[in-house]
Amino acid sequence: MSLLKIRQLIKSYKAPGGVRHTVLEVPEFSLEAGQQLALRGASGTGKTTFLNCIAGILRPDAGDIELAGQNIAIASESQRDELRAQHIGYIFQTFNLLQGYTCLENVLLGMSFSGPANTQQATALLNRVGLADRMDYRPGELSVGQQQRVAVARALANRPNLVLADEPTGNLDPQNAQEALQLIREVCRENTAALLLVSHDQGVLDQFEDCHDLAEINKAAKEVAK
Amino acid sequence: MTIWMIIRNSLRHHALSTGITAVSIGLGCGLLMSVWVVNFQTQRAFKNVTGGFDSILGPRGSQLQLVLNSLFHMDSSPGLVKAFDYRLFREKYKRFYNRAVPIAVGDNLKGYRIVGTTLELFEVEHSPGQKYELAAGEKFIQNATQWNKEAVIGHTVAVQLGLGINDTFQPYHGLNFTEGQMPHKDIYTVTGILKPSGTPADRVIWIPIEGLQQMDGHDPRFAGDVSAVLIQMSDNTTARAFGMNSLDSIYNKGTDHLTFVKSNEDVVARLFDQFAWAESVLRWVAYLVAVVAAAGVLASIYNTMNERRREFAILRALGARRSTIFSVIVMESATIAALGVLIGFGVYAIILLVAEGTLRNEIGVSLHPMEPHKVMLIVPVVMVAFGALVGIIPAAKAYGTDVSKNLTPQS
């Protein structure tokens, strides 16, 4: 049974002038538990919108997004918050770490909305990503590569079934990007979490056995390409 | 735990504005509690300062002046009760009261009043169950055939003037001390020091009434006169009312040269009534400070909302519910108010200690800063609730944060 199943997904935005502009039109998409899939897409092809709809951050205009047996598309705001807290880990291109908090606190916050925050578990995750000696550092005191690792640890903190990664290496140099990608894939595997990664970086996409063009899935992206 | 982590972090991040806002709440809170408690305790203390006497007979004049002069040892003396009137009161009207103690004033020692009286004064309970007790020495000698130039001094006098047993002093004429003034020739010896009583008696030097009446330099024609007579009425309610009403008729309606204060407590109450407006103004100022402080909490948190939109969006992306974000802001606002309340207790303690010291030194009346009062529970609870209430406005703004729009860093 698929972990994530999407049918007839449509998402549009109101463009200046009042005309609605469709950015997502996905007739069908699915992801198996533990699967690691990369989606290739240029800028403006709806990569982030697609992930945000799956995460329940955006509500689609139409269609179904089934995650762990629940339809996010029709769920209430609080149900979507709950689903996100329980089942999804999100790695952002800009990391989105909370600047006023230490690395440990950032990871604790990642797990605290799905249940009681476990300091031991958060410490173990930071150890796993190689930041055992940076627990009390704030993001601003870390290198970009280290910040990315904190973001990975935080995404895994709630033991999600699905990790969404939006251009996770977009801000890293090639060396760090390679290491970060390897880490994300390993940690997801160890935690039996499925990984859905979107990127336009061919170097990243080449690492995945399972890689598709977003345009193959998103009809609206094809229109953009034309 | 998560909510507290977020609140703690935000307060630390905005430490300066949090601190300033908390201090302003502390001022409002401390002022409110102080105004209330000082007013309550002062009124109670002043009403209790009857020295154990219900009424006063004195020369014709203001009842308030008579009470202030006779019981609080403040203000000028309104005059004298002639020896004849005093004798008449003691002999003819004895049936209307239980006890009458004469006092005579007119001299001081470095500003502290010297009051002539009889030993009977020390037999009266100045407060329920409490008489003036000696901390050291003994009372002055005074009986039908003999009186000595001896003095029993109040605790404050002993401390402030550094007087001890067997020390001597020469009284100065008048109720106020003037530097360079020549003292009377009479030399008095301190025979006793009273324990602190928390009453104006702590600031008094008691001597035999004959000593004051016959002091060197005083006009011998007035040697039998007294300044006032402190009266203790009957314990029996009916007899007490009868005595009071009778003396009221005899002196207030039947003579034109004497005043009878029916109830010392009523006179003090009327005094406070006259100053009720001042207490009301102070209270409104305190309300205003508290409201401005609460508005400060609102402004302080509201101003951070824009910079915190991304933080809220990230927390939402991590699974935080809208209600969680709402609660964080409301509780943060309440926490600032609670910090302010803690500061308020400090402000309250400072104001009460200063007021207590001033009243004790100037009038001899004691306040009890540590005594609990319901306002010390009501004001903090209302302030924290008010803090939470004003937090609803920024919380509503945070509640409506659009997650997807605010996840991207804003330049």
Side-chain angles (χ1 to χ4, degrees), chain B residues 271-287:
Chain B
L271 169 68
F272 275 94
D273 286 346
Q274 284 176 25
F275 288 102
W277 64 269
E279 190 258 332
S280 181
V281 167
L282 272 176
R283 196 171 288 189
W284 277 104
V285 167
Y287 284 142

Side-chain angles (χ1 to χ4, degrees), chain B residues 57-120:
Chain B
L57 180 68
R60 180 48 61 101
S62 149
Q63 294 200 356
L64 178 59
Q65 190 185 3
L66 201 51
V67 168
L68 289 177
N69 183 58
S70 309
L71 298 178
F72 290 88
H73 309 290
M74 300 163 68
D75 208 346
S76 55
S77 171
L80 294 169
V81 175
K82 298 285 177 205
F84 169 78
D85 288 319
Y86 174 55
R87 217 166 29 244
L88 192 70
F89 175 75
R90 297 225 47 144
E91 290 164 5
K92 194 173 173 187
Y93 302 125
K94 176 76 187 81
R95 66 185 185 282
F96 294 128
Y97 57 84
N98 263 6
R99 193 194 298 265
V101 178
I103 58 164
V105 299
D107 291 313
N108 79 91
L109 176 64
K110 305 261 174 79
Y112 289 95
R113 282 197 183 192
I114 296 172
V115 180
T117 188
T118 62
L119 287 171
E120 205 175 357

